[in-house]
Amino acid sequence: MAIISLTGVMGVRFYNQPKLAVGREAPETILAPTDAELTDMKTTEERRKEALYGVVPVLVPNPLVNEEINQRIETVLAQGDVVRDLARPFPFLDSGTLSTDVQSYLRRIPEWQWNELLAQVEQTTVQPQLNLSTSGSLSTDSGKFSSTQQEGTDQLRWKAFAQLRGYGKRASPQEFAALVTDIDDARKRYAKAYTAFSKQLPSDQTSFYNQSLLDWSDQTWEQTQVGILQVAMEMLSQGIAPGLPTEILQQAVNIQVKTALPTESQDFAAKLLTTALRTNLIEDRDSTRTRAELAAQSVDPVVVTISQGDVIVRQGEKITQREFVMLDHFDKSERGINWKGLLAFAALVSGAVVVVLFVGRRFRPSLRHRDYLLLLLLTLSTPLLVLLKVPSTGLPAVGLLAGSFYGSAVGVTVVGLLSAMIPIGLEIEMIPLLASAAGGLLGSLLAGQLRSREELALLGGAVGLAQGTVYLLLTLTVVGTTASSIWFILLRQVVLQVLEGLAWSVVALGLSPYLEHVFDLITPIRLAELANPNRPLLKRLATEAPGTFQHTMFVATLAEAAAQALGCNVELVRTGTLYHDIGKMHDPLGFIENQMGGPNKHDEINDPWESARIIKKHVSEGLAMARRCRLPKAIQAFIPEHQGKMLIAYFYYQAQQRAKEDSAIAVKEEDFRYDGPSPQSKETGIVMLADSCEAALRSLKDATHEEALQMVNKILRARWQDNQLVDSGLSREDMAKIAEVFVRVWEQVNHKRIAYPKGVFSAR
């Protein structure tokens, strides 16, 4: 049934498959029987998607970035003003007295050179010694002068000597002395300004300036400031795009400064602008979104036209998408059932079914026919959604339900195989399918480990995030990096994927209680809910039969520890134990643990047969209560199987005693045995043994470990020899482990306490 139904639903591609498909070779030359004008929807959709994701983003200047850049430039220029103010005025003398270049030279030469030059001028008969060895060199930011610079310096020294000497000849000694004083003052101001470079300019701005700043005229400096701000404004208005290489930015700056600034300050301006300018364009999301949508809408449908008698495809040529559209329109693509492909797909489905059966037998050997039916229905839901054109596969819900009901191994197997086979038999987009499969695999992997609906709801959120993340990564990988330029359009699809995964998780969460009841499933979550002591049936047990409830709790402690040691279903054992004696509520005083030291009801009855009937009735009554409360059959099984077909020994021997006294009385052993069945699983077998040992262990007070173990082994041996555990799957080795666990738990519960001295709790 599974193979036929899955092949029938998922193999739709093979029902009406064209033999002459895209990529196949044409067996003959095919001509168009009539004129036709056709729309190629597949190619049109592909082109629209390319236009949507390939649109160039709209970039606009960021005012905040522009303001930061302008502030930095203005700060550097303001610091230059501060330094220049210290050296003002310049020129400090009338150019008729000393030329401007000579004044600049005299301000910056070292003190010893100035003294030497002044001495030579005053000794009018001595010619100045202007050679390379004595003229020295002026240290600058760039190091020593080159030979060309040295020659220019020698010429300036000759010129300064000549102008000073000429002025000395035509001026009075007092006027010459005043001239020297003015030069000395200018030199001091210059030295002070030069020192300010390292003190007043920030460390990241010092490198913008060199000594030439002090030599520029006020007009040059003003033109430099205006030009730099103008170039910055123009370049920021045009915009500096993200990722622009530094070399390109430098070239653009150099071109701008050559036309806007004086020659002397061009290097300074280029360095400052290159450093200060940076990317100032940001993406205008709304405009980009509008552009992308318009680009997609503006793609005209791809229309294929052909005239009667024209060749559609020639013999031996591979069929293209355009040619396939025409062949399909004229019913020449030879559509029909692809029996070979359908049979191959059926074989693939058969293999998948075998894999699921193997995994189920390996990891969930207790799976029933109804469980495989539910797995089949869950599996069929996904291809049915695809066939109904629902824009979702439902794989997250399938994974969450299968993993929650049957464990991670079965859930992952079902989702993985289903995700692999769907694109083989059905037309479906791969990226949404893979994203949905990722959510389904995550859900199936973790669902079986959860113990509450709240945890399952949180897992639903994780499933949605996983689906959205995988969709994003796959889209960026397949479409390319251009998709990241309009990420908000892609983000909308990602958010929809996240919400889709979350929605299917909500569907799974809502369906799970109904499926659990209809298919009688026991999940960890349902077992945890049934084990809640606030459940009505357990609250009644604690109120109406408190002794039985305490007995139940100790049995559950023993059984749970043994189940854990043997690798059994611990949750099932604990929950089943809590309900195994609910039938005792039909007559609580009929059981010794509820009599609380009062008279024994069975002494008043004084009829071992009637007493045995009352004792046995707690099984049938317990089953009736369990059915009324709709407990799972796996939990109901603990009620009869924990007693199996054991002998109610006390009343049986009492009846035998009466038979010895009255030969007319016949004692049948079956009247004093439970109706069974004996334990059919390790879990119910463990509870039988725990129930048998509980009273004996409670009666022990000061026994040693060996004495307690000997007593427990005696009880377990009796159950083994009475053939109560034949169908349980428990081995002799398991019995030894169980005995050790029971004694260890008993020791933990009955640990010795410190004896408090008398009077410790007396009132003060």
Side-chain angles (χ1 to χ4, degrees):
M1 182 177 68
I3 293 171
I4 293 173
S5 59
L6 288 172
T7 304
V9 174
M10 288 196 293
V12 172
R13 184 195 296 269
F14 303 101
Y15 297 160
N16 193 28
Q17 193 172 33
K19 290 184 180 178
L20 302 183
V22 177
R24 297 281 184 88
E25 290 186 0
E28 59 181 355
T29 300
I30 303 175
L31 306 178
T34 60
D35 296 342
E37 185 174 303
L38 315 171
T39 301
D40 185 351
M41 295 305 301
K42 182 177 180 181
T43 305
T44 301
E45 189 60 32
E46 289 176 354
R47 291 187 180 180
R48 286 176 177 169
K49 188 173 291 187
E50 289 175 0
L52 181 67
Y53 288 118
V55 69
V56 177
V58 177
L59 301 177
V60 294
N62 186 341
L64 296 177
V65 174
N66 289 352
E67 185 177 353
E68 290 176 4
I69 293 173
N70 287 326
Q71 285 180 352
R72 186 180 184 191
I73 293 175
E74 290 173 357
T75 299
V76 174
L77 296 178
Q79 294 293 346
D81 277 332
V82 171
V83 174
R84 282 179 56 85
D85 284 343
L86 296 175
R88 283 193 176 113
F90 182 81
F92 52 87
L93 294 172
D94 182 80
S95 58
T97 304
L98 293 176
S99 62
T100 304
D101 55 346
V102 168
Q103 292 184 49
S104 176
Y105 170 76
L106 293 176
R107 281 199 314 171
R108 56 187 171 85
I109 61 176
E111 187 67 21
W112 66 270
Q113 283 191 359
W114 164 242
N115 293 330
E116 181 183 86
L117 179 62
L118 187 60
Q120 290 175 352
V121 170
E122 292 174 348
Q123 297 173 5
T124 56
T125 58
V126 181
Q127 295 297 322
Q129 300 298 317
L130 304 177
N131 53 62
L132 294 178
S133 62
T134 62
S135 61
S137 61
L138 183 64
S139 176
T140 66
D141 292 343
S142 59
K144 292 184 178 181
F145 282 107
S146 63
S147 58
T148 304
Q149 291 172 321
Q150 186 66 57
E151 292 174 2
T153 302
D154 289 342
Q155 292 175 359
L156 279 174
R157 183 163 184 163
W158 273 107
K159 190 174 182 180
F161 172 79
Q163 290 184 10
L164 286 171
R165 184 177 181 183
Y167 184 80
K169 285 183 178 180
R170 66 177 180 269
S172 64
Q174 291 81 4
E175 290 175 336
F176 186 79
L179 175 66
V180 172
T181 301
D182 290 340
I183 296 174
D184 284 334
D185 290 342
R187 285 177 52 78
K188 291 176 182 178
R189 292 195 301 271
Y190 184 86
K192 184 178 180 181
Y194 186 74
T195 304
F197 275 116
S198 59
K199 293 183 179 179
Q200 296 192 26
L201 292 177
S203 59
D204 62 334
Q205 296 168 0
T206 302
S207 59
F208 294 138
Y209 295 106
N210 56 37
Q211 207 170 357
S212 62
L213 171 68
L214 302 176
D215 296 332
W216 298 340
S217 66
D218 290 343
Q219 182 181 2
T220 299
W221 175 239
E222 184 177 349
Q223 291 176 353
T224 300
Q225 289 178 303
V226 173
I228 288 174
L229 293 174
Q230 182 66 28
V231 170
M233 183 181 68
E234 291 178 0
M235 295 191 68
L236 292 176
S237 298
Q238 295 172 355
I240 301 174
L244 181 70
T246 306
E247 297 77 12
I248 303 298
L249 179 61
Q250 288 176 344
Q251 291 177 10
V253 168
N254 290 333
I255 293 172
Q256 292 282 351
V257 299
K258 282 182 179 179
T259 58
L261 281 91
T263 306
E264 306 96 292
S265 59
Q266 286 180 1
D267 290 341
F268 159 73
K271 191 173 186 180
L272 172 58
L273 288 170
T274 303
T275 306
L277 294 177
R278 60 186 177 89
T279 298
N280 72 323
L281 294 181
I282 57 174
E283 186 175 349
D284 186 341
R285 300 175 186 175
D286 294 335
S287 300
T288 305
R289 182 187 300 110
T290 303
R291 175 185 287 184
E293 292 172 351
L294 289 175
Q297 294 171 6
S298 64
V299 174
D300 295 326
V302 178
V303 178
V304 178
T305 57
I306 193 168
S307 301
Q308 182 178 1
D310 288 351
V311 175
I312 299 176
V313 62
R314 298 187 183 278
Q315 182 179 2
E317 292 181 350
K318 287 190 176 182
I319 300 171
T320 64
Q321 173 64 24
R322 178 179 181 278
E323 294 163 349
F324 173 74
V325 171
M326 292 185 285
L327 290 174
D328 211 34
H329 173 74
F330 293 122
D331 293 329
K332 293 184 177 294
S333 58
E334 300 181 15
R335 287 186 177 272
I337 298 178
N338 183 355
W339 290 106
K340 183 178 179 181
L342 189 60
L343 291 174
F345 186 69
L348 182 63
V349 171
S350 303
V353 171
V354 170
V355 170
V356 173
L357 290 173
F358 172 78
V359 172
R361 297 278 174 85
R362 173 70 177 80
F363 295 97
R364 287 279 175 157
S366 59
L367 287 181
R368 306 155 296 175
H369 289 302
R370 69 179 68 183
D371 297 318
Y372 286 113
L373 176 61
L374 177 56
L375 284 174
L376 175 60
L377 294 176
L378 291 175
T379 304
L380 286 172
S381 66
T382 295
L384 286 174
L385 289 173
V386 176
L387 289 176
L388 293 173
K389 304 298 182 183
V390 176
S392 180
T393 60
L395 284 172
V398 174
L400 285 168
L401 292 172
S404 176
F405 295 159
Y406 306 115
S408 302
V410 175
V412 168
T413 302
V414 170
V415 173
L417 292 174
L418 185 58
S419 304
M421 288 191 299
I422 282 180
I424 298 176
L426 294 171
E427 293 285 347
I428 188 171
E429 291 188 34
M430 286 303 297
I431 292 181
L433 172 64
L434 293 175
S436 184
L441 290 171
L442 178 64
S444 59
L445 190 64
L446 299 179
Q449 304 174 21
L450 305 184
R451 296 296 180 269
S452 68
R453 308 283 179 192
E454 182 182 1
E455 292 178 346
L456 191 60
L458 291 175
L459 176 59
V463 167
L465 290 175
Q467 184 168 336
T469 302
V470 172
Y471 182 87
L472 174 63
L473 295 176
L474 290 176
T475 302
L476 291 177
T477 302
V478 175
V479 176
T481 55
T482 55
S484 62
S485 63
I486 49 170
W487 63 269
F488 46 85
I489 295 179
L490 181 59
L491 183 62
R492 182 172 57 188
Q493 300 298 325
V494 172
V495 170
L496 289 177
Q497 289 292 321
V498 173
L499 294 177
E500 178 186 314
L502 184 60
W504 280 117
S505 303
V506 173
V507 170
L509 190 61
L511 283 177
S512 58
Y514 298 101
L515 295 176
E516 287 169 0
H517 284 288
V518 171
F519 289 90
D520 191 34
L521 299 170
I522 49 165
T523 63
I525 293 177
R526 192 179 184 195
L527 290 174
E529 292 173 346
L530 290 173
N532 188 336
N534 290 319
R535 299 284 295 192
L537 205 55
L538 296 180
K539 289 183 75 173
R540 274 188 59 200
L541 180 64
T543 304
E544 298 176 16
T548 299
F549 184 77
Q550 294 302 321
H551 154 80
T552 297
M553 297 306 293
F554 188 43
V555 172
T557 304
L558 293 172
E560 188 176 0
Q564 191 166 10
L566 296 183
C568 300
N569 191 331
V570 178
E571 290 88 355
L572 177 60
V573 167
R574 179 165 184 78
T575 307
T577 307
L578 291 176
Y579 291 92
H580 81 287
D581 268 348
I582 57 174
K584 290 183 178 180
M585 286 189 289
H586 86 284
D587 188 2
L589 295 179
F591 301 88
I592 188 69
E593 66 265 20
N594 295 313
Q595 293 171 1
M596 306 298 180
N600 192 329
K601 179 178 180 177
H602 296 285
D603 292 340
E604 298 175 1
I605 295 174
N606 197 23
D607 182 352
W609 283 269
E610 178 63 18
S611 294
R613 187 187 66 78
I614 293 173
I615 298 297
K616 289 169 63 176
K617 193 176 180 181
H618 89 275
V619 172
S620 57
E621 288 293 330
L623 285 172
M625 291 179 186
R627 293 190 189 102
R628 283 198 300 270
C629 294
R630 293 167 36 180
L631 292 180
K633 285 187 171 58
I635 302 299
Q636 294 181 28
F638 282 84
I639 297 174
E641 292 180 22
H642 87 278
Q643 297 291 3
K645 296 183 179 180
M646 286 195 304
L647 184 67
I648 306 174
Y650 181 83
F651 295 111
Y652 176 67
Y653 291 124
Q654 195 178 78
Q656 283 185 325
Q657 291 299 322
R658 293 197 179 186
K660 289 180 182 179
E661 297 172 0
D662 186 354
S663 57
I665 299 175
V667 179
K668 297 180 180 179
E669 187 176 305
E670 56 268 23
D671 293 339
F672 294 90
R673 282 192 178 273
Y674 288 98
D675 297 328
S678 57
Q680 301 297 302
S681 67
K682 288 185 177 182
E683 287 78 7
T684 55
I686 289 172
V687 175
M688 168 185 273
L689 299 176
D691 186 66
S692 301
C693 295
E694 183 268 342
L697 286 171
R698 277 184 180 274
S699 66
L700 295 178
K701 297 299 179 184
D702 298 322
T704 64
H705 178 87
E706 290 72 20
E707 291 172 342
L709 186 61
Q710 184 178 3
M711 186 196 68
V712 169
N713 277 322
K714 181 179 179 181
I715 296 173
L716 300 189
R717 192 180 306 113
R719 298 293 173 265
W720 184 271
Q721 292 173 350
D722 196 25
N723 293 323
Q724 296 298 320
L725 302 170
V726 223
D727 302 321
S728 67
L730 293 172
S731 63
R732 295 293 290 268
E733 292 77 14
D734 293 335
M735 302 295 282
K737 290 181 183 178
I738 291 171
E740 286 287 349
V741 171
F742 284 175
V743 173
R744 187 178 70 246
V745 172
W746 166 79
E747 288 175 334
Q748 292 169 352
V749 173
N750 293 277
H751 61 277
K752 291 184 178 181
R753 293 173 173 81
I754 298 173
Y756 288 94
K758 292 182 180 180
V760 169
F761 300 105
S762 60
R764 293 186 179 181

